[in-house]
Amino acid sequence: MERSLTLPALILGAGITLGLGFIGHSISDTVTNLKALDRTVSVKGLAEKEVMANIAIWPIRFNEVSNDLPALYDTVQQKSDKVVAFLKQQGFSDEEISLSLPAIEDRTAQGYSDPNLKYRYLAKVTVSLYTPKVDKLLEARKQIAALAREGIAIGGNEYESRPEFMYTELNNIKPAMVQEATQNAREVAEKFAKDSNSSLGKIKNASQGQFIITDRDSNSPHIKNVRIVSTVTYYLSD
C-alpha cells in the first residue's frame, strides 16, 4: 500500500526546490558580474617635454710635439695656462676647470724607428670644463678660434672633443608629466568606450613607464626631449 506524503515532507521538498532555484539564480548573477568585470580596455598615454640641459662637460684637447722632453713639458704648461685663461675670460671659475696630466708618448720606444719621424715625443693634453652655465659654454665654443691665435690647435676627433650636455632636474618635472600621460591615456580610453557604445569605469591597474631623455636633434644636443609612456587599464560597462 502506497504511503501518502505528510505535510512536513511537502514543506521540506518545496524548500529544497526554492533553495536550489535561488542558488542557481545567484550563480547566474555572479557569472554575469564576473563577465562584466572582464570587460576592460588597456591604453597608453604619452607625455613629452623639451628642456634645456643644465650641466655641460667640455673636454678641450690639443697635442704638442718635441724632441726635447723638458722643453715639451714647459710648452704644454704654457699652452694649458692659455686655455685656462681663455675659459676664465668667458666667465668660468677655477672650480669649473680641471687640467689632467698630459699623456706623453715616446714614439721611438716601439722597437723600431720610423725614418720619417720628425719628433720623438708627443704630448696629449685635455683641459676639462664642468659647468651649469650651458649658455656661456655655447657662446665660448664660438670664440674657440681665439686659441688658434695663441698657437693652440684644438685637436681630437669630433666625438672626443664635443661637449656633453645633461639634464639632471628630472624630479622637478616628473609629477606634471605623469599627470599629463595619465590624462592622455584617459582621453584615448574614453574615445574607445564611446566608439564601442560602452561607459568608462574605474582604473583596474596602471603602470608608469620609464622616463627617456634624448637629444632633440644632432645639431642641438643641449636641448633635451623628455618622454614617458604610461599604460592604464580601465573597466568598461554598458
Side-chain angles (χ1 to χ4, degrees), residues 4 81 95-96 108 116:
S4 59
D81 291 343
E95 291 74 18
E96 296 170 300
T108 64
N116 297 317

Side-chain angles (χ1 to χ4, degrees), residues 153-172:
I154 302 303
N157 59 47
E158 175 63 20
Y159 180 79
E160 292 179 340
S161 300
R162 66 183 180 183
E164 177 185 358
F165 298 94
M166 299 182 294
Y167 181 70
T168 63
E169 298 179 345
L170 184 59
N171 287 338
N172 293 341

Side-chain angles (χ1 to χ4, degrees), residues 58-64 75-90 92 97 99 125-129 137 139-155 161:
W58 186 18
I60 301 176
R61 294 185 170 92
F62 65 92
N63 298 334
E64 192 66 30
T75 302
V76 164
Q77 185 63 56
Q78 293 170 8
K79 291 190 175 182
S80 297
D81 291 343
K82 290 180 179 180
V83 173
V84 171
F86 165 78
L87 292 175
K88 288 184 177 181
Q89 289 172 1
Q90 301 302 314
F92 301 106
I97 304 169
L99 177 62
V125 187
T126 302
V127 179
S128 297
L129 180 68
L137 185 147
E139 186 61 31
R141 289 184 67 194
K142 300 176 183 178
Q143 310 298 327
I144 197 69
L147 291 175
R149 290 191 288 270
E150 297 287 340
I152 304 171
I154 302 303
S161 300

Side-chain angles (χ1 to χ4, degrees), residues 10-188:
L10 290 173
I11 294 174
L12 177 61
I16 292 173
T17 301
L18 290 173
L20 291 174
F22 177 76
I23 292 172
H25 180 71
S26 297
I27 293 175
S28 176
D29 286 346
T30 300
V31 171
T32 300
N33 291 334
L34 287 175
K35 288 183 178 179
L37 290 176
D38 285 341
R39 295 185 59 203
T40 60
V41 57
S42 293
V43 293
K44 294 184 182 297
L46 170 67
E48 289 185 298
K49 185 179 181 64
E50 280 190 1
V51 296
M52 174 70 77
N54 65 303
I55 294 293
I57 304 172
W58 186 18
I60 301 176
R61 294 185 170 92
F62 65 92
N63 298 334
E64 192 66 30
V65 293
S66 178
N67 286 317
D68 186 330
L69 188 57
L72 177 63
Y73 272 103
D74 289 341
T75 302
V76 164
Q77 185 63 56
Q78 293 170 8
K79 291 190 175 182
S80 297
D81 291 343
K82 290 180 179 180
V83 173
V84 171
F86 165 78
L87 292 175
K88 288 184 177 181
Q89 289 172 1
Q90 301 302 314
F92 301 106
S93 65
D94 288 328
E95 291 74 18
E96 296 170 300
I97 304 169
S98 61
L99 177 62
S100 61
L101 291 175
I104 305 295
E105 177 184 340
D106 184 349
R107 295 189 286 185
T108 64
Q110 308 299 324
Y112 62 92
S113 178
D114 184 350
N116 297 317
L117 187 63
K118 187 175 181 180
Y119 297 102
R120 176 178 177 177
Y121 299 107
L122 167 66
K124 297 181 179 180
V125 187
T126 302
V127 179
S128 297
L129 180 68
Y130 183 98
T131 179
K133 303 170 187 173
V134 175
D135 289 338
K136 283 186 177 294
L137 185 147
L138 294 173
E139 186 61 31
R141 289 184 67 194
K142 300 176 183 178
Q143 310 298 327
I144 197 69
L147 291 175
R149 290 191 288 270
E150 297 287 340
I152 304 171
I154 302 303
N157 59 47
E158 175 63 20
Y159 180 79
E160 292 179 340
S161 300
R162 66 183 180 183
E164 177 185 358
F165 298 94
M166 299 182 294
Y167 181 70
T168 63
E169 298 179 345
L170 184 59
N171 287 338
N172 293 341
I173 62 174
K174 265 186 179 182
M177 290 193 67
V178 171
Q179 181 179 357
E180 181 182 345
T182 304
Q183 180 61 35
N184 179 256
R186 184 171 185 85
E187 291 173 359
V188 174

